[in-house]
Amino acid sequence: MTIKPLIILPDPLLRQVSAPVERVDDAVRRLADDMLETMYDAPGIGLAAIQIGEPIRMLVIDVSKEDEEKTPLTFVNPEIVERSDALSVYEEGCLSIPDYYAEVERPEKVRVTYVDLAGAAREIEADGLLATCLQHEIDHLNGTLFIDHISKLKRDMVVKKFTKAARNKAVA
Ligand code: GNR
Ligand code: NI
């Protein structure tokens, strides 16, 4: 397993739409391992493949609490097939936008179809933090970031700050 470097805003890779996984093979399972190791190291509760530079539709999540057993979940080709009318608000962050947090309103519950690491079709109904995290990660597969769900004023501010930081890093 390998910890991979994270892709950071404003890298245009984060705006790319990821391609479906054609076949769940050992390379896909190895990538899932690397994604989980990278996520735990960060630390974060979710990671989309594009965040380590792989534009394919897979993501990992672990929303277990610190005092609980680790519960790594991997979703290949996930699709939201149902959303609740009820909404909930969470303070979100993103490993690709370090140290920035904002409240985002999303459907409270979602039903998601996906393929597991054995290649089997599955379905999950999620609520709470898992539902929020699934939506945040599936957004990544479509080139959408959580800052796209906040005001344009705040978004422009964040993008500007990270663009400046990337420029300063380039000349340092
Ligand atoms: O670690 C993460 N925490 C988090 C908190 C609230 C809502 C979503 C997330 S996902 C984020 C990791 C990440 O950037 N995944 O793409
Ligand atoms: Ni993210």
Side-chain angles (χ1 to χ4, degrees), residues 21-29 76-77 115-120:
V21 174
E22 300 265 349
R23 206 168 69 89
V24 178
D25 55 15
D26 285 344
V28 165
R29 283 182 281 268
V76 174
N77 297 340
V115 173
D116 70 16
L117 284 184

Side-chain angles (χ1 to χ4, degrees), residues 1-164:
M1 300 220 287
T2 316
I3 297 167
K4 298 285 179 71
L6 289 161
I7 304 292
I8 303 296
L9 190 76
D11 194 315
L13 261 182
L14 292 172
R15 294 310 192 173
Q16 197 166 316
V17 177
S18 292
V21 174
E22 300 265 349
R23 206 168 69 89
V24 178
D25 55 15
D26 285 344
V28 165
R29 283 182 281 268
R30 265 197 301 274
L31 178 60
D33 269 357
D34 290 349
M35 288 169 63
L36 282 164
E37 189 169 15
T38 303
M39 178 187 80
Y40 286 128
D41 175 70
I45 60 169
L47 190 78
I50 193 65
Q51 292 180 277
I52 56 168
E54 297 283 346
I56 64 169
R57 302 187 79 82
M58 67 185 272
L59 57 93
V60 296
I61 290 180
D62 188 340
V63 292
S64 63
K65 302 199 184 83
E66 239 175 87
D67 58 343
E68 293 171 349
E69 218 176 300
K70 278 187 184 176
T71 310
L73 304 172
T74 302
F75 298 82
V76 174
N77 297 340
E79 269 189 68
I80 298 173
V81 293
E82 219 178 289
R83 297 170 169 82
S84 64
D85 291 331
L87 305 174
S88 75
V89 175
Y90 269 94
E91 170 132 299
E92 297 197 16
C94 182
L95 295 175
S96 297
I97 313 174
D99 303 316
Y100 181 75
Y101 304 89
E103 289 193 335
V104 176
E105 190 175 52
R106 302 180 186 268
E108 183 184 11
K109 291 183 186 176
V110 287
R111 183 182 296 278
V112 173
T113 59
Y114 65 102
V115 173
D116 70 16
L117 284 184
R122 292 191 173 265
E123 191 174 306
I124 185 176
E125 190 180 77
D127 61 12
L129 185 57
L130 179 58
T132 290
C133 194
L134 270 167
Q135 292 173 78
H136 175 116
E137 303 311 338
I138 292 170
D139 268 356
H140 274 300
L141 307 186
N142 297 320
T144 299
L145 301 170
F146 84 95
I147 54 171
D148 299 333
H149 299 290
I150 64 178
S151 76
K152 175 165 160 52
L153 185 74
K154 285 188 191 170
R155 178 169 61 253
D156 287 351
M157 239 168 53
V158 179
V159 172
K160 197 171 157 186
K161 188 181 151 198
F162 278 83
T163 302
K164 217 175 196 175

